Amino acid sequence: MPADLTEVLVSLVYTLLSKKNGISAEFLRSRVDRYQNIDTETFQRYFARDKGELERLGIPIETIQREDTNGRNTTFYRILPEKYRLDEIEFSAPEAAAIAMAASYWGEDALGNAAQRALARLGVESTELEHSVFEPRVSSSEPAFGQLLEAITEHFAVTFTYANPVGEQSVRVLEPWGLGQRFGHWYVTGWDLDRQAQRIFRLSRILNEVKRAANEFTHERPSDFSMREALNRMKLDTGTSSASIELREGRGISLRTRAEEIVESEEGWDRLTVRFDNVEDMAKDVAALGNAARVLEPASLKRAASSLVERALEAHRTAVPTYELRKPKKSAGRIPETVKVARALDMVSYIHDHGGATFAELSEHFDLDRRTLQSELERLSLCGLPGGLHDELLDVIIVGDDVNILNAEHLNHKVRLNLAEAFSLMVALELMSAVPGVGDDSVVESARSKIEAATGHFSNLSNAITARFVASEDPERWSQLYDAIENHRVTRLKYISGGRDALTERVIWPVRLKEQTGRIYLQAWCTSANAPRVFRMDRVRSLTVLDEHFADDAAELAKVPTDLYSPLANADDVVVKFGARLRPLLPEFTPTKVSTKQSDGSVIAEISSAGDQALRDLVTSHAGHFEVVAPPEKRREIKEWLEDASKMHAESGNQPS
């Protein structure tokens, strides 16, 4: 039976902490089941992999050279207790509340889980986002995220294939210095070895797995480097470019309401002149109209819109993946080994700090059912000095509902925060500092300084990371709406209905603003429809706050959904595929069934439809990462719609600009 890797790694930590003079490779090969009966090369590969897993947990293994008892120069390994233990940090009640609230900004992804583990280790109780004027979410869903963050702190070069805004691809080699979020996107910056200059890359444009490059790391991060300043130099210009676009008569109301000029073109078509800020966002607006829109100029917008359609079409031309839908579980997917090891070590220190614990307390604290908890405790009872005697193993004592652990003095201290945990809290607190109405800025800064001091082993991490919400870029723009929400003022909107492709007027009771993946939404009770509604703020053409106030009717406001995806009433179910980078968005769609066992990390889910146009928007804007799978006729309909759009863009590309 193969050795349980969690048991091996916990025992490795126990052993390397317990022997201050270190443990030789020969000892490990003779005592650890996983390392026995294998050749030297395989052992070295296994041990290097296990060391890497522990170092990702923030547990550094020190290598020392000295003579063994036979006088031979030998390599020994050890973990120094002072580099393992988390220093005690005392937070004031306001600081603890700020940290807990900031951590809740993360969605249900890897960094969201890391933030919750960090809270538990710091002794801060987690919390859910409370009802407030502005409720933001941040996500680390880009597949390149983890490798780039590790490269920044470990100082190694990486290589990847990158697509520019119009889809042109190139292979890049980068020595990364910093990682940050702005304008709703994550960016990495560093020294581009091909261009021999500092460059910034958007993570969503990285097309393949980020790999460690063979190149030596030659350009260290400058001492005065600041990721915040690097992103500050990026400008989101307003209306700096102009496009000439033809639309079928009566279509594309969103573009028509933004047009500077509309003239008749050939029969059944109108030609628009529209100013825009960002070629990618404009391309999404055009692509979502299918064969009802064609770009005349600029060429960059033509290529960008065509690229979105072609990538979506390519996904729908591939064979439908095999899948089996089941009701979603709370924790779907394989738990990474580092998470299981961290949980095991945290469980030992938690039981020690509390002088023992009950099954109920452990189940609640670690969010485990009794059966899984029993299995975790049984595994811990096998951990300790490999091949050791009874008093050299963890002694897990269970009496009725009470649990205690003896022989665990080397693991009784909390392990220091790892990279993901430190990053998640540092970024969340920086985001919080710019959120309106969250409290005292000095409290947030004080909490961040204490966490920064506890994570000093990550080479000045605070200068290498940054993030800000889109809403914090221009707070004055939202102040009128904040006031309407706080003071319960009735508001009138002129709003583009995507499903109907029409300009509508709505009278609403605004409840909250939410931000997710760079897009801002307004959740409200719509008196026009006498129902809750979610409005995309980029589709609002005018907003007027009226003198009329609405009552703070808890019963009515409770009906306003917290989810951003709004399926149609009595909507049909569709089966769709969420690419790996879209997995964090899955909960917003409230899937009724899921299939998570896809080799590419994607998830196939059954959701209620929000209408044909909503599906088309998702298909084109995510360009191959969101795919309609079933029913077959709906997939065929989407594919044919994309083929028609592809032909239209091809014909447009042949026309003179």
Side-chain angles (χ1 to χ4, degrees):
M1 179 178 178
D4 181 280
L5 187 53
T6 303
E7 178 191 330
V8 169
L9 294 177
V10 173
S11 295
L12 198 56
V13 173
Y14 179 97
T15 302
L16 297 179
L17 274 170
S18 66
K19 304 295 183 181
K20 64 180 181 180
N21 291 325
I23 296 291
S24 68
E26 183 179 344
F27 175 89
L28 293 172
R29 289 188 68 179
S30 66
R31 303 287 287 272
V32 178
D33 290 346
R34 173 174 164 82
Y35 302 149
Q36 291 178 346
N37 303 317
I38 56 176
D39 58 48
T40 300
E41 183 180 347
T42 304
F43 162 72
Q44 290 173 342
R45 188 171 67 251
Y46 279 15
F47 186 54
R49 186 183 305 162
D50 294 346
K51 280 177 58 183
E53 293 281 3
L54 293 180
E55 285 166 354
R56 275 188 284 277
L57 279 171
I59 304 173
I61 297 179
E62 186 176 273
T63 301
I64 52 177
Q65 295 286 334
R66 63 176 177 82
E67 290 186 352
D68 63 12
T69 54
N70 296 317
R72 296 175 301 181
N73 188 40
T74 305
T75 301
F76 289 81
Y77 304 95
R78 68 182 179 184
I79 297 172
L80 295 175
E82 60 269 25
K83 292 187 177 181
Y84 171 85
R85 298 170 180 169
L86 175 67
D87 293 334
E88 289 296 326
I89 310 175
E90 290 188 7
F91 296 108
S92 66
E95 287 171 343
I99 294 168
M101 182 60 70
S104 67
Y105 291 163
W106 288 102
E108 297 180 12
D109 58 10
L111 284 182
N113 294 331
Q116 295 306 312
R117 289 197 306 272
L119 291 185
R121 207 168 296 150
L122 292 169
V124 174
E125 290 190 13
S126 62
T127 185
E128 292 294 325
L129 274 176
E130 298 175 357
H131 171 68
S132 61
V133 172
F134 179 52
E135 295 183 5
R137 289 287 188 189
V138 62
S139 169
S140 61
S141 58
E142 299 296 343
F145 198 98
Q147 180 75 332
L148 288 172
L149 183 57
E150 185 178 351
I152 288 166
T153 55
E154 297 297 324
H155 303 275
F156 61 82
V158 294
T159 181
F160 50 83
T161 301
Y162 189 73
N164 67 13
V166 297
E168 297 166 342
Q169 299 180 17
S170 60
V171 176
R172 314 303 284 266
V173 181
L174 180 73
E175 296 177 345
W177 295 342
L179 190 66
Q181 178 184 264
R182 196 176 183 199
F183 308 133
H185 302 289
W186 285 100
Y187 297 87
V188 62
T189 189
W191 191 260
D192 186 325
L193 291 175
D194 298 310
R195 305 299 191 270
Q196 285 296 298
Q198 183 180 347
R199 289 289 187 269
I200 292 180
F201 299 91
R202 201 167 102 180
L203 268 61
S204 62
R205 296 183 191 150
I206 295 176
L207 302 180
N208 61 347
E209 180 184 357
V210 172
K211 295 183 178 179
R212 190 167 187 149
N215 308 65
E216 291 291 328
F217 201 97
T218 55
H219 294 80
E220 290 293 337
R221 187 168 66 220
S223 58
D224 61 349
F225 173 80
S226 165
M227 188 63 189
R228 183 183 304 175
E229 291 303 316
L231 292 188
N232 280 346
R233 290 192 288 271
M234 295 173 58
K235 301 294 183 183
L236 188 62
D237 297 321
T238 303
T240 56
S241 301
S242 180
S244 179
I245 300 171
E246 288 190 332
L247 297 179
R248 291 191 188 276
E249 191 175 328
R251 296 296 309 279
I253 189 67
S254 177
L255 293 176
R256 290 176 183 274
T257 55
R258 293 159 51 191
E260 293 182 330
E261 182 183 34
I262 302 177
V263 297
E264 287 187 14
S265 182
E266 60 186 85
E267 185 177 353
W269 290 83
D270 295 323
R271 181 173 297 184
L272 284 67
T273 301
V274 186
R275 300 198 72 80
F276 64 95
D277 308 330
N278 179 283
V279 68
E280 288 168 282
D281 292 339
M282 187 64 166
K284 290 178 181 180
D285 290 342
V286 172
L289 291 169
N291 70 353
R294 57 193 184 201
V295 179
L296 302 182
E297 57 182 19
S300 59
L301 180 59
K302 281 185 190 181
R303 292 195 299 270
S306 177
S307 176
L308 291 174
V309 170
E310 292 304 320
R311 282 182 281 160
L313 179 56
E314 182 182 358
H316 284 79
R317 280 175 170 165
T318 58
V320 174
T322 302
Y323 63 93
E324 182 180 353
L325 293 173
R326 296 181 178 179
K327 289 186 177 180
K329 296 180 180 179
K330 185 174 182 180
S331 298
R334 179 179 175 272
I335 300 175
E337 207 62 47
T338 49
V339 173
K340 291 193 284 187
V341 174
R343 186 170 64 197
L345 296 173
D346 287 345
M347 197 174 292
V348 174
S349 63
Y350 179 88
I351 292 171
H352 169 265
D353 289 348
H354 291 78
T358 65
F359 266 86
E361 290 167 340
L362 292 170
S363 293
E364 180 179 358
H365 187 78
F366 293 98
D367 195 22
L368 298 173
D369 59 47
R370 188 179 181 98
R371 181 178 177 181
T372 305
L373 178 57
Q374 182 77 43
S375 176
E376 295 279 310
L377 292 170
E378 289 173 0
R379 178 192 283 133
L380 278 175
S381 70
L382 301 174
C383 297
L385 188 68
L389 301 175
H390 178 73
D391 62 354
E392 295 175 311
L393 300 175
L394 299 184
D395 188 7
V396 179
I397 301 172
I398 301 175
V399 179
D401 196 47
D402 296 320
V403 181
N404 213 328
I405 299 181
L406 304 180
N407 295 340
E409 59 273 14
H410 301 297
L411 301 180
N412 282 340
H413 289 86
K414 296 173 183 175
V415 62
R416 67 184 185 177
L417 300 184
N418 66 28
L419 178 58
E421 292 160 351
F423 178 90
S424 65
L425 292 189
M426 295 282 285
V427 164
L429 285 166
E430 181 166 357
L431 286 166
M432 187 180 212
S433 65
V435 173
V438 296
D440 189 343
D441 287 347
S442 64
V443 170
V444 176
E445 183 56 35
S446 173
R448 193 170 189 269
S449 296
K450 289 181 179 180
I451 292 175
E452 183 178 353
T455 57
H457 49 288
F458 289 123
S459 63
N460 202 12
L461 183 63
S462 62
N463 287 343
I465 61 176
T466 191
R468 69 186 72 171
F469 290 119
V470 171
S472 65
E473 297 277 355
D474 186 10
E476 291 185 9
R477 179 184 176 191
W478 307 104
S479 59
Q480 183 185 27
L481 198 46
Y482 292 152
D483 178 72
I485 294 170
E486 287 183 325
N487 295 301
H488 304 120
R489 295 181 65 182
V490 179
T491 302
R492 180 182 291 116
L493 303 179
K494 286 189 177 179
Y495 183 74
I496 302 294
S497 172
R500 286 185 277 166
D501 196 15
L503 181 64
T504 63
E505 186 167 298
R506 314 290 184 93
V507 177
I508 64 167
W509 300 353
V511 175
R512 70 182 69 87
L513 280 170
K514 297 189 80 169
E515 180 177 326
Q516 184 164 297
T517 60
R519 183 169 280 165
I520 299 176
Y521 301 85
L522 173 62
Q523 295 178 311
W525 181 264
C526 180
T527 63
S528 309
N530 196 32
R533 289 290 185 266
V534 178
F535 300 97
R536 269 178 48 177
M537 291 306 297
D538 59 314
R539 290 180 177 169
V540 173
R541 290 296 176 261
S542 70
L543 183 150
T544 305
V545 178
L546 307 179
D547 290 335
E548 181 184 353
H549 291 257
F550 60 90
D552 186 6
D553 189 329
E556 290 299 303
L557 296 183
K559 298 177 184 177
V560 176
T562 58
D563 293 335
L564 298 179
Y565 180 71
S566 301
L568 298 175
N570 303 315
D572 294 330
D573 289 336
V574 291
V575 178
V576 297
K577 178 180 176 182
F578 292 81
R581 65 176 40 160
L582 299 185
R583 286 186 71 143
L585 300 184
L586 184 62
E588 290 291 342
F589 290 78
T590 318
T592 53
K593 295 179 182 178
V594 297
S595 174
T596 58
K597 296 181 179 179
Q598 301 299 313
S599 59
D600 60 357
S602 63
V603 177
I604 293 177
E606 182 182 79
I607 63 173
S608 295
S609 173
D612 289 347
Q613 188 56 49
L615 282 177
R616 292 168 182 169
D617 285 350
L618 289 165
V619 163
T620 52
S621 64
H622 293 298
H625 296 287
F626 184 94
E627 182 181 337
V628 176
V629 174
E633 59 271 19
K634 180 59 66 177
R635 180 180 175 87
R636 184 169 56 251
E637 179 186 315
I638 290 288
K639 176 174 169 287
E640 291 172 354
W641 177 80
L642 288 167
E643 287 173 338
D644 289 343
S646 176
K647 291 176 185 176
M648 180 62 68
H649 286 292
E651 292 170 2
S652 172
N654 293 328
Q655 293 179 3
S657 297

